[in-house]
């Protein structure tokens, strides 16, 4: 009043619930974005999937405000193994398994290949839920696929809570973003592992090739009477070695079929019907591809210079069969010449014979039998 005494109070009340909810949601979104940033940085600097998964599930649980989060890895036999997690009973990480069938949330997630949301597991009609979730009294959750190479599933990323909850689109996007980063990390690790295997394999191949070239050079020097003869011997054998490399490069160093080797080395003579093939085709590994290419080259070179292919009348029958010998599976190749000049057994072992013997016995763990028949070498 005029004397300054308080006689009434005027008050205005404003409902700021929506604003506070929006502020809280914004805080959660910022936390989720920070989590995605941290996980992404980790993925860039480290290829340790165990650490990566551990960090991801911790951030996922905090970002979604849930008690449980997990990474399940899909094994070849179809089971999913808990390889990382937070909130699970002690001793389960690394040991607990979940069925990959559609009766589990994780298995169902793999089958639909998209995020799966569960509001009430007890009332869920799409799947029953695995014992792992029921034992932890899970009520709500969401899960999505982590992908590996060529789009194949690597496993499942999931988050769960014991409280009934309806997850939002923002929650799904957060989960999917984390899964996408883990997908990139898995693919990168697989690539690095493949590169490491390739480097070791390349080192092995280089050493193997050096051994072969050294053997060729030593034998060529031992059996050559002139520099010209040495060069001729080396050029031919190294050309055959190069041909085997071409086959291996075309197959990504997995090997080649015997039919492809014959076509490459004997193609012209087969087309001219000088060589008749009766080969049971088999796939050879990389080392055997190289060795058998050299063997066939030696046989054809000898036949062209001294044997059945050195005139216009001779021919060769080349056959190959899988068979059993001493309870072992073996492959027998038979090279049979006829119609060429009369054959005499050489007085001393020549370069070609020694090369054949070394290649078959040392490189193929096989046996070489030479029959110097008058009508043609067999």
């Amino acid at each position: 009043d005029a004397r300054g005494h308080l006689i009434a109070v005027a008050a205005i009340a404003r409902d700021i619930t929506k604003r506070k909810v929006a502020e809280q949601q914004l805080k959660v979104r910022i936390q989720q974005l920070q989590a995605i940033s941290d996980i992404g940085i980790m993925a860039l600097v480290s290829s340790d999937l165990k650490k990566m998964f551990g960090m991801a599930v911790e951030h996922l649980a905090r970002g979604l405000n849930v008690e449980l989060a997990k990474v399940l890895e899909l094994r070849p036999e179809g089971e999913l193994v808990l390889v990382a997690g937070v909130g699970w009973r002690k001793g389960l990480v690394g040991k607990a398994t979940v069925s990959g069938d559609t009766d589990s949330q994780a298995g169902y997630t793999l089958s639909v290949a998209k995020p799966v949301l569960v509001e009430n597991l007890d009332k869920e009609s799409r799947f029953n839920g695995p014992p792992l979730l029921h034992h932890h009294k899970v009520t709500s959750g969401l899960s999505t696929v982590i992908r590996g190479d060529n789009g194949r599933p690597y496993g499942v990323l999931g988050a769960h809570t014991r409280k009934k909850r309806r997850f939002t689109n923002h929650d799904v996007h957060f989960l999917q973003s984390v899964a996408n980063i883990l997908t990139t990390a898995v693919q990168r690790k697989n690539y690095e592992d493949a590169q490491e295997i390739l480097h070791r394999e390349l080192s092995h191949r280089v050493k193997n090739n050096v051994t072969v070239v050294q053997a060729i050079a030593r034998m060529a020097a031992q059996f050559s009477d002139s520099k010209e003869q040495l060069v001729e011997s080396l050029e031919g054998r190294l050309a055959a070695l190069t041909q085997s490399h071409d086959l291996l490069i075309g197959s990504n160093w997995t090997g080649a079929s015997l039919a492809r080797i014959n076509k490459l080395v004997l193609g012209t003579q087969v087309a001219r019907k000088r060589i008749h093939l009766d080969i049971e085709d088999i796939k050879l590994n990389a080392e055997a591809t190289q060795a058998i290419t050299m063997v066939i080259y030696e046989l054809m070179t000898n036949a062209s210079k001294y044997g059945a292919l050195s005139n216009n009348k001779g021919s060769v029958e080349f056959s190959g069969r899988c068979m059993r010998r001493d309870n072992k599976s073996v492959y027998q190749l038979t090279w049979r010449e006829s119609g060429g000049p009369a054959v005499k057994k050489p007085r001393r072992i020549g370069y070609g014979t020694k090369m054949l013997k070394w290649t078959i016995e040392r490189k193929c763990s096989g046996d070489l039998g030479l029959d110097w028949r008058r009508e043609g070498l067999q």
Side-chain angles (χ1 to χ4, degrees):
D1 60 9
R3 291 177 296 177
H5 295 142
L6 182 65
I7 59 173
V9 175
I12 298 174
R14 292 179 180 174
D15 187 349
I16 60 170
T17 302
K18 289 184 179 180
R19 191 182 80 188
K20 287 297 181 181
V21 169
E23 288 176 355
Q24 181 60 29
Q25 288 177 344
L26 180 60
K27 183 179 178 181
V28 171
R29 302 295 167 256
I30 292 173
Q31 186 179 7
Q32 290 177 351
L33 288 172
Q34 183 62 51
I36 292 170
S37 174
D38 292 345
I39 298 169
I41 291 171
M42 179 73 169
L44 287 173
V45 300
S46 175
S47 58
D48 188 333
L49 288 184
K50 185 176 180 180
K51 287 184 179 179
M52 188 79 201
F53 292 158
M55 179 182 185
V57 292
E58 288 178 6
H59 278 292
L60 185 64
R62 284 199 299 268
L64 291 175
N65 191 26
V66 297
E67 308 96 287
L68 302 152
K70 68 179 187 297
V71 172
L72 297 170
E73 181 183 341
L74 180 63
R75 296 293 167 83
E77 60 272 17
E79 271 192 333
L80 290 150
V81 179
L82 181 66
V83 294
V86 292
W88 308 98
R89 292 174 186 170
K90 188 176 180 180
L92 288 181
V93 175
K95 295 182 179 180
T97 60
V98 173
S99 170
D101 296 333
T102 54
D103 60 344
S104 71
Q105 181 176 345
Y108 181 79
T109 303
L110 290 174
S111 69
V112 298
K114 62 181 181 180
V116 173
L117 281 73
V118 175
E119 188 173 342
N120 191 335
L121 186 61
D122 290 335
K123 295 182 179 180
E124 181 58 57
S125 60
R126 295 169 294 180
F127 42 82
N128 296 322
L132 180 67
L133 297 185
H134 288 300
H135 290 166
H136 288 80
K137 299 181 180 179
V138 166
T139 299
S140 302
L142 67 171
S143 54
T144 193
V145 177
I146 302 170
R147 300 210 167 272
D149 294 332
N150 302 318
R152 292 191 297 269
Y154 172 86
V156 173
L157 177 67
H160 309 276
T161 177
R162 298 182 180 93
K163 303 171 185 176
K164 186 178 179 181
R165 175 172 165 184
R166 180 174 293 179
F167 291 97
T168 67
N169 288 334
H170 287 294
D171 296 330
V172 175
H173 292 156
F174 174 52
L175 177 79
Q176 191 63 63
S177 296
V178 175
N180 290 343
I181 295 172
L182 296 184
T183 291
T184 301
V186 167
Q187 292 174 349
R188 174 187 170 189
K189 183 66 168 61
N190 289 344
Y191 174 78
E192 290 177 351
D193 290 346
Q195 289 296 105
E196 178 64 26
I197 292 172
L198 181 61
H199 289 157
R200 289 199 299 267
E201 183 69 13
L202 182 60
S203 176
H204 170 73
R205 295 295 166 209
V206 169
K207 291 176 182 177
N208 180 61
N209 288 337
V210 169
T211 301
V212 173
V213 171
Q214 285 175 333
I216 291 173
R218 281 197 299 267
M219 282 186 266
Q222 180 183 352
F223 289 94
S224 298
D225 297 325
S226 66
K227 183 171 70 174
E228 290 75 17
Q229 191 177 1
L230 173 63
V231 170
E232 182 183 357
S233 295
L234 285 175
E235 282 183 341
R237 273 82 185 185
L238 294 179
L241 195 61
T242 301
Q243 286 181 319
S244 69
H245 274 220
D246 290 340
L247 285 174
L248 293 173
I249 290 172
S251 68
N252 198 24
W253 289 91
T254 59
S257 68
L258 187 54
R260 287 202 65 192
I261 296 173
N262 286 328
K263 184 177 180 181
L264 182 69
V265 182
L266 307 175
T268 303
Q269 295 296 347
V270 171
R272 293 174 58 190
K273 298 183 179 180
R274 300 290 303 275
I275 298 179
H276 306 282
L277 296 178
D278 182 17
I279 297 289
E280 181 180 350
D281 198 19
I282 55 170
K283 178 71 179 290
L284 303 174
N285 64 24
E287 192 163 353
T289 295
Q290 185 184 76
I292 296 300
T293 301
M294 299 294 293
V295 166
I296 297 173
Y297 172 82
E298 289 296 334
L299 292 169
M300 193 180 74
T301 299
N302 182 75
S304 299
K305 286 185 175 182
Y306 315 110
L309 302 180
S310 64
N311 61 18
N312 295 324
K313 299 178 181 179
S315 62
V316 176
E317 290 183 10
F318 192 31
S319 60
R321 288 288 180 273
C322 286
M323 57 180 61
R324 301 290 297 178
R325 180 189 294 171
D326 299 329
N327 292 323
K328 292 181 181 180
S329 179
V330 298
Y331 193 92
Q332 179 170 301
L333 281 167
T334 303
W335 177 275
R336 185 181 291 107
E337 299 182 25
S338 62
V343 173
K344 290 183 179 180
K345 184 176 180 178
R347 294 180 179 177
R348 68 184 183 97
I349 296 176
Y351 178 23
T353 303
K354 191 167 184 179
M355 189 70 195
L356 277 176
K357 187 175 178 64
W358 180 83
T359 305
I360 291 173
E361 294 180 356
R362 293 279 296 277
K363 307 300 288 184
C364 298
S365 300
D367 300 312
L368 173 66
L370 292 172
D371 188 354
W372 303 95
R373 297 183 179 184
R374 179 177 176 80
E375 61 270 21
L377 172 66
Q378 180 173 318

